[in-house]
Amino acid sequence: MPDMAWQVDPSSGVNGTCTLRRSVLLLAFCWAGWVALPAQPQAPPVQQSTSFADTLRHSQGKELHIFYIHGIGSDGPDDFDSLALRKSLCKFLKDCTTEAGTAIGEWDYANHDEFAPDAQAPDLHFIDEPVWKNQEEWRAAAPYSIHFQLVRRGGSTLYVDELNWWPLTFSLKCRQIIASEADLVGPNKVRIPVCSRRQPNAEVPLRFKSYDWIDKDAAARLLKKPSHGARLNRDLKSGLMDWGFSDAVMLLGPLRPYVLSGIRQLILKSLSDSAASKALAPDERPRNEEFVIVSHSLGSYLMFAALDAHLSQLQTSEINPSDKSFDQILARTSFVFFFANQLRILQLAGLDGPSDRNLSTHLEAWGKTRCDYLKTIDPSHQCQLPRITALNDPSDLLTWTVPSLSSVEVENYSVKNSAHWFWLIENPTPAHNRYANQRRGIQKMLEEHPQNSR
């Protein structure tokens, strides 16, 4: 229909003619503006993820990092603790370009202060024997991380930073436990080869992927020794106690500060190496990143002690009291998953209230830091507590429930990692090691659950 012109009264101060169509548009625009004048637009409410699955689906614009830290009894460089987790994540996402992601970059070693390539070995002794006999052995004990990316066809790339602290324990376990046990109960034919394999890291000078803590000749002699004791008892002792729980004992003693320092260095290196961090100033690095922590066994005890640097007795050139990087990581971490944990049993060594050895101290600090961060985004928003989901196999000899915490939401969830033989026994090794392979456990990690209303 042709435009219909109408005459405008010259006394009105408007010159010329307007079409009816243009006039209607002008009036509508003015009316909308007039209606909006009395009140300012309200900021949209803060959208907080209510599940890990929700975080994965809405990660656009941010780098999502999963810090994975292993627990007791790692079998060294061929263990690849995070592999099952990465496979399970890709199976859930359904759009990964590879089955379990791909490694990016070289192995990243802790390399500052006490872990510098030219640093002297610490003056620690087992009875009268030094734990590390020279600089080469100490360099072989440096913790390291491996970085993986899960490239997706329909979503943002997901990063998994696998933190490995096991090298610090191998000198003691191989020489003082595994070698000596060959005389008492017989040779451990799985771990003696692990303890006697020498493999320099060709891509990283002066570092090792594996080290011969027991030389090959000694290993050959040990493997020829006869076995003693009942078979099941022998297997439990050499595997669960000698190779596994000995880690927990060591980490309660003088080795602990070195492990925590190594983990902290690896965390900071993971941040500085990430794509988002490279474009930011050091004090802004974590701001474009979100974090999820997945820890196995003893790893939960170590990870939160490492992140809570304020209580640390060990300050290095990489970590100082004014550094806010760890606070920012805790602030941007909303979900934590424990694949087995020893919180209750190890807490027996920290009965003196808030302290560096009291894990509840570190967990409560995380909850407070997270809540303070959310208030900076929207002061009127009720704080959504960060969440721990603790997966526990009742037949796992090395897991306990996580106690209730005031500033963290805790859910303990039971799974079954292996078959029960005649309803009497479940193999303790898979019971402790197969959380990332367990379908119900992964479903629990990735399920949708209602937003916490507290």
Side-chain angles (χ1 to χ4, degrees), residues 110-331:
N111 60 0
H112 292 276
D113 299 295
E114 67 270 52
F115 294 112
D118 59 351
Q120 297 294 321
D123 188 24
L124 297 180
H125 292 76
F126 182 88
I127 306 180
D128 292 327
E129 183 178 341
V131 178
W132 300 280
K133 298 176 181 179
N134 51 53
Q135 279 185 300
E136 181 182 89
E137 289 192 356
W138 178 234
R139 288 195 295 265
Y144 67 92
S145 58
I146 307 177
H147 310 293
F148 299 92
Q149 62 178 359
L150 277 59
V151 178
R152 302 168 57 192
R153 297 183 184 89
S156 299
T157 297
L158 179 65
Y159 296 89
V160 178
D161 300 299
E162 179 187 292
L163 310 180
N164 291 275
W165 51 268
W166 61 263
L168 280 165
T169 68
F170 265 40
S171 173
L172 285 167
K173 289 202 300 185
C174 291
R175 289 169 170 167
Q176 307 300 342
I177 304 293
I178 296 301
S180 65
E181 284 288 77
D183 288 324
L184 178 62
V185 300
N188 187 322
K189 296 185 178 181
V190 174
R191 270 66 192 232
I192 289 175
V194 171
C195 289
S196 58
R197 184 186 310 147
R198 184 183 183 91
Q199 184 183 1
N201 192 329
E203 289 78 27
V204 186
L206 302 178
R207 298 299 187 184
F208 293 82
K209 290 190 172 183
S210 184
Y211 194 76
D212 49 345
W213 303 105
I214 302 173
D215 67 57
K216 288 189 176 182
D217 291 339
R221 290 194 297 270
L222 292 174
L223 288 170
K224 293 178 181 178
K225 291 180 176 291
S227 297
H228 306 284
R231 172 65 184 273
L232 289 178
N233 298 64
R234 182 172 71 244
D235 289 348
L236 279 174
K237 188 172 190 295
S238 63
L240 191 65
M241 300 305 296
D242 294 345
W243 196 249
F245 203 66
S246 59
D247 284 331
V249 176
M250 283 187 276
L251 270 296
L252 292 175
L255 194 61
R256 172 186 171 86
Y258 297 96
V259 174
L260 295 184
S261 178
I263 293 171
R264 290 180 183 128
Q265 290 191 33
L266 297 179
I267 292 170
L268 292 179
K269 287 169 73 69
S270 296
L271 294 182
S272 64
D273 290 342
S274 69
S277 293
K278 288 179 179 178
L280 300 173
D283 62 339
E284 296 178 331
R285 281 174 180 168
R287 295 185 182 179
N288 281 359
E289 297 158 326
E290 294 289 338
F291 304 97
V292 173
I293 294 173
V294 180
S295 61
H296 183 220
S297 187
L298 185 62
S300 56
Y301 191 78
L302 297 173
M303 188 64 174
F304 278 93
L307 286 172
D308 191 359
H310 302 286
L311 289 176
S312 172
Q313 298 176 354
L314 184 65
Q315 299 295 339
T316 72
S317 63
E318 286 291 289
I319 304 157
N320 59 71
S322 63
D323 193 337
K324 301 299 182 183
S325 296
F326 296 109
D327 283 347
Q328 292 181 39
I329 293 171
L330 291 173

Side-chain angles (χ1 to χ4, degrees), residues 343-357:
L343 195 156
R344 282 187 184 272
I345 195 73
L346 295 178
Q347 198 66 41
L348 297 176
L351 304 178
D352 52 348
S355 72
D356 187 49
R357 295 178 182 273

